């Protein structure tokens, strides 16, 4: 019904930049928050950056001042601009969103209860 697809990962040298993108598609009535998480090898998945539909943003301490989350509400997309990358930023980055799907009854769309969705992840490797 609803899918999140990330893109933009890859390998970069320390000090470099990458921009991740995530597109939500499917039976979407509305999107509340769109967020980025990451999971380094052997570690738990942690929040990197969050953004609400009202534009409020929150960042994890290790990325403040280096990463910027932004959102294209019309296109149901969220981005993560990552600058001054460090080896410790190496991880699989996941897009996460709280989405209200819709169902169709007699041709009319009705909102369902909001659900949490995850993308498949994109690998970011920071290494010289």
């Amino acid at each position: 019904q609803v899918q999140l697809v990330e893109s933009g990962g890859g390998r970069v040298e320390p000090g470099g930049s990458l921009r991740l993108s995530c597109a939500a598609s499917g039976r979407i009535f509305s999107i509340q928050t769109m967020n980025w998480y990451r999971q380094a090898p052997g570690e738990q998945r942690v929040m990197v950056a969050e953004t609400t539909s009202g534009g409020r943003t929150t960042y994890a301490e290790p990325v403040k001042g280096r990463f910027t989350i932004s959102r294209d509400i019309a296109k149901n997309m969220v981005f993560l601009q990552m600058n001054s990358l460090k080896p410790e930023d190496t991880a699989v980055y996941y897009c996460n969103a709280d989405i209200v799907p819709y169902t169709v009854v007699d041709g009319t769309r009705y909102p369902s209860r909001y659900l949490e969705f995850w993308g498949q992840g994109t690998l970011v490797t920071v290494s010289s």
Side-chain angles (χ1 to χ4, degrees):
Q1 276 196 345
V2 174
Q3 271 191 320
L4 299 180
V5 178
E6 302 103 333
S7 61
R11 190 182 194 93
V12 64
E13 293 187 349
S17 299
L18 280 176
R19 186 176 188 245
L20 305 183
S21 300
C22 172
S25 62
R27 293 192 169 192
I28 297 171
F29 186 85
S30 65
I31 300 177
Q32 300 183 22
T33 64
M34 293 193 82
N35 318 301
W36 288 97
Y37 283 68
R38 70 185 182 186
Q39 186 168 19
E43 297 185 11
Q44 290 188 332
R45 192 175 300 186
V46 296
M47 186 275 289
V48 174
E50 300 178 325
T51 182
T52 69
S53 58
R56 190 177 75 245
T57 58
T58 305
Y59 295 93
E61 281 297 328
V63 307
K64 279 184 179 179
R66 300 187 297 121
F67 290 11
T68 302
I69 189 171
S70 61
R71 190 168 160 181
D72 186 331
I73 294 176
K75 295 182 178 180
N76 291 335
M77 295 187 71
V78 66
F79 308 94
L80 186 67
Q81 178 66 43
M82 304 185 294
N83 298 328
S84 302
L85 283 161
K86 303 175 181 179
E88 51 264 43
D89 294 319
T90 295
V92 177
Y93 284 72
Y94 295 91
C95 180
N96 165 274
D98 290 326
I99 295 175
V100 178
Y102 66 82
T103 56
V104 180
V105 179
D106 294 333
T108 301
R109 296 182 179 184
Y110 293 91
S112 304
R113 185 174 60 90
Y114 86 87
L115 298 171
E116 183 180 38
F117 293 88
W118 291 90
Q120 82 287 352
T122 185
L123 177 62
V124 171
T125 302
V126 185
S127 173
S128 54

